[in-house]
Amino acid sequence: QVQLVESGGGLVQAGGSLRLSCAASGRTFSPYEMGWFRQAPGKERKFVAGIIWSTDSTYYGDSVKGRFIISRDNAKNTMYLQMNSLNPDDTAVYYCAAKAWVSSNYHYWGQGTQVTVSS
């Protein structure tokens, strides 16, 4: 089974940047797609960014377009989220997720990493 572990969260000032990492392990890890989600206090979990593992095709939620960049290193089984121009509205727990097939849900999830952006 696949295990996902996020890292790189922390406290940053508005306008600053952070880079999150998601390390994947498990037997023959080969997802169809991986993505990042976030959940702010008192709000629902929202999609942030996704990447098709085999083709490097990416897409983003409207709130982060132009500011965040998702990428991956297949050799390291690692996914990244470069977050730039951060603002307090980006404060949330960020989760790494993966799905095996195009028609499936995101069924593998990490434990999350806290990102806090101060004014």
Side-chain angles (χ1 to χ4, degrees), residues 25-42:
S25 62
R27 188 178 67 176
T28 62
F29 177 74
S30 184
Y32 169 77
E33 182 176 348
M34 294 187 67
W36 290 95
F37 295 77
R38 68 186 185 186
Q39 186 169 17

Side-chain angles (χ1 to χ4, degrees), residues 58-69:
T58 61
Y59 57 104
Y60 299 88
D62 290 340
S63 63
V64 305
K65 287 180 180 178
R67 299 190 297 123
F68 290 11
I69 302 172

Side-chain angles (χ1 to χ4, degrees), residues 46-94:
K46 292 185 177 180
F47 172 80
V48 175
I51 184 167
I52 307 299
W53 204 254
S54 63
T55 65
D56 204 29
S57 178
T58 61
Y59 57 104
Y60 299 88
D62 290 340
S63 63
V64 305
K65 287 180 180 178
R67 299 190 297 123
F68 290 11
I69 302 172
I70 187 172
S71 62
R72 86 290 185 275
D73 186 334
N74 287 3
K76 296 181 178 180
N77 288 338
T78 301
M79 179 178 66
Y80 306 96
L81 183 67
Q82 179 66 45
M83 305 185 294
N84 302 314
S85 301
L86 288 163
N87 58 255
D89 289 340
D90 296 316
T91 295
V93 177
Y94 284 71

